[in-house]
Amino acid sequence: MKVTIVGTGYVGLVTGCCLADSGHTVICVDNDIQKIEAMRRGEVPIYEPGLEDMMHRAQKLNTLSFTTDLAEGVREAQIIFLALPTPPLEDGSADLSAVLAVAGQLGEHLPDSYCLIVNKSTVPVGTAEKVRETIAAKAKTEFDVVSNPEFLREGHAVEDFMEPERVVIGTDNPKAEALMHELYTPFTNDERPIYMTDPRTAELTKYAANTFLVTKISFMNEIAQLSERMGADIDVLRQAIGADSRIGHKFLHPGIGCGGSCFPKDVRALKHMSEEHDYEFKLLTAAMDINDQQQQVLVDKLNTHFNGDIQGKTFALWGLAFKPQTDDIREAPALVIIDRLLAKGAKVIAYDPEAAGNGRAHYKDNQNITVVDDKYQALKNADALLIATEWPEFAAANLVQIKQALKQPVIFDGRNVYQPAKLAKAGFTYYSIGRQAVTPTP
Ligand SMILES: NC(=O)c1ccc[n+]([C@@H]2O[C@H](COP(=O)([O-])OP(=O)(O)OC[C@H]3O[C@@H](n4cnc5c(N)ncnc54)[C@H](O)[C@@H]3O)[C@@H](O)[C@H]2O)c1
C-alpha cells in the first residue's frame, strides 16, 4: 500500500520505518525542515534500538522517503497516519492544534481516490469526529477517519510495532475496517489480537492504559515510602506481590516517579476530560500528586544528608533520559532533580549514554550544569553521585572507580540499581528508594 505518515517523531518515524520494512511504500512528512533534511541524509534524529538499520534498509530500497510538503506527501496515499504531538495546555487538556491544522490542510489536498486517515496521536474522546468534520469542510473526495491509538514503548518501539501486544482500531465503517485489517495482518495473530471498536472507545482505551500504569507506579511508590519507614524489604515484597498473576511483576519497581512525553500529560488530559463530563476522577489526582512528590524524594534525602548545605557543592548525576534505552528527556524526573539542585546553588555534572545531546540543548544557557561523555568523568571531585535512570551500564559500573573519583563515597540511587549490603561493604553511604540508608561496614 501507499502510506503517508504526517509527523515524523518517536511514533511517526517508527511507524513509517516498520511499514516500509514490511513492504509498503512510505512517505514521511514533517514540518521540521532540518529533521527532514537529516533523515534524507540517513541520519536518525532519535535513539531507538533497531531503528537506524531499518531506516537505512528502506531508504536503499526506495520504499521510504521524506518531505516537508504535505500536498506532495499525500498525493497518492491510500492511508495517511497522523502521528502529531498533542502536548498539554495550561489547563491539562490535550493541545489539538497540530492535529486539526493538518486535518484542515488535508481537506484541500486529499488524493483523487478514497483514502483513510488514521489517527495515531493520543487524543481526547471525540477527536476522530472533529478531524472528520475539519477535513470534510474542504474535501472533494471520499475519505474515512479511523482512531488507532499507539501503545509502543520508547526503547522498545520497533519490537512493539512489529509484535504488538494488541492493536486497537476504532471505526464505524466496514470499508475502513477491512483496510486496517489488511494493513495490520502481518503484525497480529491470536496472541496479538486486533480489537475492532468504535472511535470513542479506541480513544479512551489509550488514556485508560496509560493512566492505569501511572496509578500502578504511584501505588508502588507509596508502598515504598511505608517500607522504608517500617524497615521492610521492598525487593522481596515487590517480587512476592508480583507473583500474583492478578498483579504481575511489571511496573512494580519503586523509584523517583515516572516522566516522559506521555504518562504525565495523558493523566492530566484524562482528568480534564473527566471534569468536562462532571466526573471527579479522584484516583488520577492522587496518582499525579504522588508522582510529583516522589520526584522530590532524592533531593530531600540529599538535603538531609548535607544538613541543608548544598550551595556551592557539585553533584554527579547519571541518567537524563526519562527511562533507559531512549534519548527522550521530556518530563524526565532527572530534570526535576537538576532544576532543584541548581536552584539551591549547586553545580551538576551529568552523564547519559544516549540523551547527552538533548540534555546539553535543554540546559544550553546554564553555566552550572555540564553534560560529559564519560560516566566516570562526571564523578571527578563531585560531593555525591545521584542516579536518575536505570541504564544497565550503571548497574555494571566499577564501584572502586566510583569511590576513587568522588570527593566522598555517597550515592543517592533513585532507581535501586545496587544492593545496599554490597554498597555498604564497598565503603559507600548509600541511599535508595523504599530501603533504609546504609553506611560503610567496617
Ligand atoms: N512517544 C511515545 O512513546 C508515544 C507512544 C504512544 C503514543 N504517543 C502519542 O503519539 C503522538 C506523537 O508523539 P511523539 O512522541 O511521536 O511526538 P514527537 O514530538 O516525537 O513527534 C511529532 C512530530 O510531528 C512534527 N510536527 C508537528 N507539527 C506538525 C505539522 N503541523 N505538520 C507536520 N509535522 C508536524 C514534529 O516536527 C515532530 O517531528 C502524541 O500524541 C503522543 O502522545 C507517543
Side-chain angles (χ1 to χ4, degrees):
M1 286 191 221
K2 292 200 158 107
V3 179
T4 299
I5 315 280
V6 189
T8 315
Y10 286 87
V11 170
L13 185 57
V14 170
T15 304
C17 290
C18 291
L19 289 174
D21 201 64
S22 333
H24 301 287
T25 303
V26 178
I27 303 180
C28 289
V29 181
D30 204 285
N31 64 357
D32 182 335
I33 187 157
Q34 280 175 340
K35 213 178 204 182
I36 289 293
E37 280 171 357
M39 291 188 285
R40 281 180 175 153
R41 290 193 300 269
E43 292 165 28
V44 184
I46 54 170
Y47 174 73
E48 192 57 55
L51 189 62
E52 189 167 18
D53 284 352
M54 216 175 216
M55 183 172 129
H56 290 166
R57 224 172 20 242
Q59 279 180 305
K60 242 188 213 160
L61 293 170
N62 275 327
T63 54
L64 181 68
S65 57
F66 298 97
T67 180
T68 52
D69 186 341
L70 184 75
E72 178 200 312
V74 301
R75 192 170 296 137
E76 293 181 19
Q78 293 165 278
I79 300 188
I80 302 169
F81 279 97
L82 305 183
L84 293 155
T86 49
L89 289 170
E90 195 87 338
D91 62 2
S93 63
D95 181 356
L96 287 178
S97 56
V99 171
L100 294 179
V102 169
Q105 287 170 269
L106 279 178
E108 294 172 35
H109 299 295
L110 278 190
D112 293 336
S113 47
Y114 174 83
C115 87
L116 200 56
I117 288 101
V118 182
N119 182 41
K120 265 207 171 299
S121 298
T122 303
V123 291
V125 176
T127 301
E129 288 144 59
K130 265 192 198 161
V131 169
R132 189 195 322 271
E133 284 162 17
T134 311
I135 298 174
K138 290 185 184 153
K140 294 192 184 72
T141 45
E142 201 198 337
F143 70 94
D144 274 310
V145 176
V146 165
S147 167
N148 172 214
E150 180 54 64
F151 296 95
L152 62 75
R153 300 161 299 164
E154 284 180 23
H156 301 271
V158 170
E159 90 192 57
D160 284 350
F161 192 94
M162 299 306 267
E163 296 180 1
E165 288 184 326
R166 81 313 213 171
V167 171
V168 176
I169 291 165
T171 175
D172 298 319
N173 187 320
K175 189 171 171 182
E177 186 176 322
L179 207 53
M180 290 304 283
H181 231 288
E182 190 185 335
L183 187 77
Y184 275 108
T185 294
F187 309 107
T188 52
N189 57 31
D190 287 352
E191 276 92 53
R192 300 189 247 123
I194 301 182
Y195 294 103
M196 286 288 179
T197 181
D198 58 276
R200 288 183 160 251
T201 306
E203 287 164 342
L204 187 56
T205 302
K206 174 65 193 177
Y207 284 104
N210 273 4
T211 54
F212 179 81
L213 293 172
V214 176
T215 308
K216 197 173 179 188
I217 292 167
S218 282
F219 174 83
M220 200 55 202
N221 281 333
E222 291 230 283
I223 293 290
Q225 293 277 1
L226 281 186
S227 173
E228 198 170 320
R229 285 166 174 75
M230 294 172 172
D233 186 334
I234 193 70
D235 296 319
V236 175
L237 183 154
R238 168 175 65 76
Q239 289 170 39
I241 66 168
D244 184 330
S245 60
R246 293 170 301 176
I247 297 175
H249 287 291
K250 290 184 180 163
F251 278 72
L252 287 184
H253 289 258
I256 43 173
C258 63
S261 68
C262 292
F263 283 178
K265 96 166 159 58
D266 292 349
V267 175
R268 284 182 218 127
L270 186 57
K271 184 170 175 280
H272 189 267
M273 272 183 265
S274 307
E275 285 160 3
E276 280 181 335
H277 289 80
D278 295 326
Y279 183 72
E280 192 190 352
F281 202 144
K282 297 192 189 83
L283 200 54
L284 294 187
T285 311
M288 268 329 278
D289 286 350
I290 296 159
N291 199 57
D292 291 345
Q293 167 190 299
Q294 201 66 18
Q295 294 188 341
Q296 305 295 332
V297 160
L298 214 57
V299 180
D300 288 346
K301 286 174 194 268
L302 180 139
N303 212 24
T304 307
H305 176 90
F306 289 101
N307 297 318
D309 178 22
I310 60 175
Q311 183 160 17
K313 291 198 164 49
T314 299
F315 297 105
L317 181 129
W318 282 359
L320 291 166
F322 80 94
K323 66 173 179 177
Q325 308 302 338
T326 181
D327 62 347
D328 198 346
I329 62 166
R330 291 178 287 184
E331 298 218 29
L335 305 187
V336 177
I337 291 171
I338 293 170
D339 290 346
R340 198 160 154 213
L341 291 175
L342 295 178
K344 283 179 175 289
K347 286 191 164 53
V348 176
I349 307 175
Y351 164 78
D352 189 285
E354 294 296 338
N358 285 336
R360 283 188 193 107
H362 185 83
Y363 287 108
K364 67 177 183 310
D365 298 324
N366 200 315
Q367 309 289 317
N368 292 324
I369 169 164
T370 319
V371 182
V372 294
D373 291 325
D374 179 272
K375 59 176 171 291
Y376 297 112
Q377 191 193 339
L379 305 170
K380 272 191 197 134
N381 295 319
D383 291 278
L385 163 66
L386 293 90
I387 301 177
T389 316
E390 65 278 32
W391 281 97
E393 68 175 72
F394 299 158
N398 185 322
L399 294 177
V400 176
Q401 240 177 303
I402 298 177
K403 197 174 163 202
Q404 276 167 357
L406 286 172
K407 230 192 253 176
Q408 305 153 47
V410 188
I411 297 179
F412 299 88
D413 180 357
R415 299 294 182 188
N416 291 0
V417 166
Y418 303 118
Q419 282 310 315
K422 189 175 168 195
L423 270 277
K425 213 167 153 206
F428 286 90
T429 298
Y430 176 66
Y431 297 86
S432 53
I433 307 294
R435 313 185 291 190
Q436 283 168 1
V438 292
T439 49
T441 43

